[in-house]
Amino acid sequence: MSAPAPCPCARAERVGSGDVPADTCAIIVAGGSGERFGDPRGKQFVELCGLPLMSWSIMAFDRAPSVARIVVVCAPERSSQVEKDVLSQLTLAKPVVLAPSGVTRQDSVRSGLGVVPRELEFVAVHDAARPLVETEQIEACVAAVRADASLAGAILAMRSIDTLKLVEGTTIIATPDRSFYWAAQTPQVFRTARLAAAHRAAVRDEYQGTDDASLVERLGGRVRVVESTRDNIKVTMPEDLAIAEATLGQRLLT
């Protein structure tokens, strides 16, 4: 992949910090192979509005006043590509360190946790494949956990808008009340110690969760949702990239 030309958004203004403490480490998971996306570069490196897709997540967290450090988790053989094709194109205020990805996403998050500074009370886990996350959404999740000592974490999520069906084989056996159902997104923000403990327990018990919140919930941690929007899509298939391009392109015009 040739290095993209930097665009003005690579130097976007930071959100004013006010009295917000920089007490959070971001873990951006970019270790997936992107097989379903069908691009040999991996979806995190495909171009989105002039920059590699993962660049937009990194910039969103760099602008977040709560974030003190960013950890990018990537395949070890891709680390030089991340440095050359992604980080060198951006003007960042926060230090960025790389951590090696694992076999599963859960392994990758655990690897990222291994380089989180102990003094940072919170950690925000985010999928690099969600390039449209906004700094205000990141701050809302961190603020929710910071403000409530009884919370182990808070995640971005969207209310279910479709009718849900419980299906056995191909037969509908129930239509649950969709008001109870939310679609989980990232970032997912936790107290660092609680997430680290949840990952240690998962290794001990050989447990694979569907997301980081499920690991924390399994140990009795209380996790709340912060309502998100449909814009915070995960780029999984080529058609998702077209939607992201249109949405981000519109944002850049305003």
Side-chain angles (χ1 to χ4, degrees), residues 104-107 188 198-199 202-203 206-216 218:
T104 66
R105 182 186 182 280
Q106 190 166 305
D107 293 334
Q188 299 193 349
H199 272 270
V203 171
E206 299 182 347
Y207 176 81
Q208 283 290 325
T210 53
D211 64 357
D212 290 284
S214 67
L215 304 187
V216 174
R218 178 172 170 264

Side-chain angles (χ1 to χ4, degrees), residues 1-206:
M1 172 182 174
S2 59
C7 71
C9 278
R11 302 172 182 83
E13 293 183 4
R14 272 113 193 134
V15 173
S17 60
D19 296 325
V20 174
D23 53 9
T24 304
C25 184
I27 297 177
I28 299 178
V29 184
S33 61
E35 291 182 5
R36 285 177 292 177
F37 190 80
D39 192 304
R41 293 172 294 176
K43 61 187 174 184
Q44 59 268 49
F45 293 102
V46 300
E47 185 175 300
L48 174 61
C49 293
L51 289 170
L53 183 144
M54 66 186 293
S55 305
W56 298 99
S57 294
I58 294 171
M59 287 190 290
F61 281 90
D62 184 66
R63 291 192 293 266
S66 291
V67 173
R69 174 175 292 204
I70 298 170
V71 175
V72 176
V73 184
C74 64
E77 65 273 18
R78 293 292 189 98
S79 59
S80 60
Q81 185 179 1
V82 171
E83 294 276 6
K84 176 179 177 289
D85 293 341
V86 180
L87 299 179
S88 68
Q89 307 302 314
L90 309 177
T91 300
L92 302 172
K94 313 293 173 63
V96 178
V97 298
L98 303 183
S101 60
V103 176
T104 66
R105 182 186 182 280
Q106 190 166 305
D107 293 334
S108 295
V109 174
R110 188 169 66 255
S111 174
L113 280 169
V115 295
V116 173
R118 292 183 179 181
E119 66 271 17
L120 295 181
E121 184 177 359
F122 306 104
V123 62
V125 181
H126 184 66
D127 294 324
R130 290 189 187 272
L132 301 183
V133 66
E134 298 189 80
T135 297
E136 292 77 11
Q137 295 173 320
I138 297 166
E139 286 297 313
C141 284
V142 176
V145 185
R146 189 189 287 129
D148 187 345
S150 72
L151 285 178
I155 72 169
L156 271 190
M158 190 184 72
R159 296 176 189 271
S160 176
I161 60 173
D162 296 317
T163 296
L164 302 176
K165 299 291 184 181
L166 186 62
V167 177
E168 186 174 299
T170 57
T171 302
I172 297 170
I173 58 176
T175 303
D177 182 351
R178 71 182 179 192
S179 67
F180 289 101
Y181 290 86
W182 294 62
Q185 300 178 354
T186 64
Q188 299 193 349
V189 177
F190 307 93
R191 299 185 187 279
T192 305
R194 298 292 294 270
L195 184 59
H199 272 270
R200 288 194 300 269
V203 171
R204 180 194 67 213
D205 301 335
E206 299 182 347

